[in-house]
């Protein structure tokens, strides 16, 4: 999150200076690719580099110190760094955003979302999808996921989760019958948590916007940057070949409309789970 905040503010300064990335790169004697990585929050920064950027962008003097302080935070390591051996390349970016988020809006049509999975479901899924993993590697991944899930119940600023799940994902049996029943019961219990809202899209609902949008996560943040602005939301898409992050206003608006359309045909968790139980009986 510090990287994202710093990158956004440096990009705003460059735009206000009416300077292209090419010109900025030439003056700093960097590559355009480096400017792009900085502005998209993909790399940490030294205070010296931030001072140099502020100088060529003509940043107000009272903004330089907060930005250089933010640069120091970009080198901080999160709790997830100890799980570096099991986190997929690039996924640590998402985990950092998830950790900083105030609210997570999600639509999932294939599997139970990771934050809502039981240990048995996670183990069964990993055993089926990643047959090359050793028992130890599966244990590490289960431990990592369970640690992530504590964000929903932590004492200070728990993550608010607003998720819609396709009935197909609930009916799909991952693991044994006992694992499946336990997972459905777990979802019912979580739906009673004040910060968690779970709804289900019945298979018989017909057309809804999720058919086009596919699975996605939108993260909303409480933090404000040194410029006093609330950090804008980001949409995360996990594809077969990699991760995609969207943060343009038009993109965010499009996914908000899609979620509204999905919500319009969704039912509450208990009704949706009973439908899934009947279907898989």
């Amino acid at each position: 999150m510090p990287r994202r905040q710093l990158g956004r503010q440096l990009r705003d300064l460059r735009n206000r200076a009416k300077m292209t990335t090419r010109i900025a790169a030439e003056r700093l004697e960097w590559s355009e690719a480096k400017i792009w990585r900085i502005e998209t929050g993909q790399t940490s920064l030294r205070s010296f580099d931030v001072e140099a950027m502020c100088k060529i962008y003509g940043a107000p003097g009272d903004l330089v110190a907060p930005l250089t302080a933010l640069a120091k935070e970009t080198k901080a390591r999160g709790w997830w760094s100890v799980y570096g051996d099991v986190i997929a390349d690039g996924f640590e970016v998402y985990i950092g955003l998830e950790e900083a988020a105030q609210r997570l809006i999600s639509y999932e049509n294939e599997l139970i979302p990771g934050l809502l999975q039981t240990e048995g479901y996670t183990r069964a899924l990993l055993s089926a999808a990643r047959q090359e993993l050793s028992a130890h590697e599966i244990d590490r991944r289960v431990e990592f996921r369970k640690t992530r899930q504590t964000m929903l119940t932590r004492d200070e600023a728990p993550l608010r989760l607003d998720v819609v799940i396709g009935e197909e994902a609930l009916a799909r049996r991952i693991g044994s019958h006992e694992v499946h029943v336990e997972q459905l019961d777990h979802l019912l219990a979580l739906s009673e948590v004040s910060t968690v809202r779970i709804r289900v899209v019945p298979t018989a609902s017909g057309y809804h916007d999720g058919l086009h949008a596919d699975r996605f996560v939108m993260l909303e943040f409480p933090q404000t940057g040194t410029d006093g602005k609330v950090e804008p939301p980001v949409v995360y898409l996990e594809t077969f070949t990699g991760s995609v992050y969207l943060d343009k206003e038009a993109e965010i608006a499009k996914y908000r409309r899609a979620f509204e359309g999905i919500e319009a045909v969704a039912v509450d968790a208990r009704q949706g789970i009973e439908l899934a139980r009947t279907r898989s009986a």
Side-chain angles (χ1 to χ4, degrees):
M1 179 54 65
R3 292 180 186 182
R4 187 168 185 256
Q5 290 178 339
L6 182 58
R8 173 177 57 79
Q9 293 184 61
L10 289 171
R11 183 185 62 221
D12 289 346
L13 286 172
R14 178 179 59 76
N15 288 334
R16 283 201 290 270
K18 301 187 185 305
M19 191 178 299
T20 64
T21 55
R22 181 180 61 81
I23 293 174
E26 288 176 354
R27 294 191 181 181
L28 289 162
E29 298 183 354
W30 295 345
S31 66
E32 284 191 70
K34 180 174 180 177
I35 299 291
W36 179 81
R37 288 195 300 271
I38 290 171
E39 293 185 353
T40 53
Q42 297 188 40
T43 185
S44 58
L45 274 174
R46 299 176 301 174
S47 299
F48 177 82
D49 292 332
V50 173
E51 290 175 358
M53 295 177 82
C54 286
K55 183 176 180 179
I56 70 164
Y57 296 159
D62 60 353
L63 189 58
V64 177
L67 290 182
T68 54
L70 194 55
K72 295 176 182 177
E73 293 184 35
T74 66
K75 299 180 182 296
R77 295 169 64 86
W79 61 262
W80 54 93
S81 62
V82 300
Y83 295 101
D85 57 319
V86 299
I87 298 178
D89 289 344
F91 193 59
E92 72 277 1
V93 175
Y94 173 80
I95 296 300
L97 293 173
E98 186 180 74
E99 174 69 19
Q102 178 182 49
R103 182 185 182 214
L104 190 152
I105 300 169
S106 174
Y107 170 63
E108 174 60 70
N109 57 358
E110 296 293 340
L111 298 166
I112 304 301
L115 287 175
L116 304 180
Q117 291 177 10
T118 63
E119 179 177 335
Y121 185 101
T122 300
R123 287 187 180 278
L125 180 60
L126 288 171
S127 296
R130 299 289 304 276
Q131 296 183 22
E132 76 281 7
L133 295 177
S134 68
H136 173 71
E137 289 170 325
I138 289 178
D139 286 344
R140 287 283 290 161
R141 282 165 170 77
V142 168
E143 181 184 340
F144 169 58
R145 184 155 295 179
K146 289 172 69 175
T147 304
R148 276 181 63 201
Q149 292 171 348
T150 62
M151 289 186 285
L152 299 176
T153 55
R154 61 193 176 195
D155 293 333
E156 186 176 347
L159 176 66
R160 291 168 49 208
L161 182 62
D162 194 350
V163 60
V164 178
I165 307 172
E167 183 193 337
E168 298 90 341
L170 298 182
R172 181 170 291 108
R173 186 169 296 179
I174 303 296
S176 66
H177 173 72
E178 290 74 20
V179 168
H180 186 227
V181 171
E182 180 188 38
Q183 179 63 72
L184 295 181
D185 289 344
H186 182 61
L187 290 174
L188 282 176
L190 283 175
S191 69
E192 300 299 322
V193 176
S194 61
T195 54
V196 178
R197 187 182 185 205
I198 303 173
R199 280 154 300 163
V200 177
V201 175
T203 304
S205 63
Y207 174 83
H208 59 85
D209 288 343
L211 298 177
H212 288 304
D214 207 357
R215 57 199 295 258
F216 66 89
V217 176
M218 181 184 298
L219 303 110
E220 298 177 338
F221 307 99
Q223 294 92 339
T224 58
T226 56
D227 57 358
K229 296 180 180 178
V230 173
E231 191 65 22
V234 61
V235 168
Y236 170 75
L237 308 175
E238 185 177 343
T239 69
F240 187 64
T241 56
S243 303
V244 177
Y245 297 89
L246 307 174
D247 60 3
K248 294 183 174 61
E249 288 186 14
E251 295 168 335
I252 299 300
K254 188 171 183 178
Y255 275 93
R256 286 199 189 282
R257 289 193 297 271
F259 193 73
E260 290 172 0
I262 296 168
E263 282 187 302
V265 297
V267 298
D268 67 74
R270 185 166 297 278
Q271 183 180 349
I273 289 172
E274 289 309 314
L275 287 171
R277 288 188 198 276
T278 301
R279 183 178 176 184
S280 61

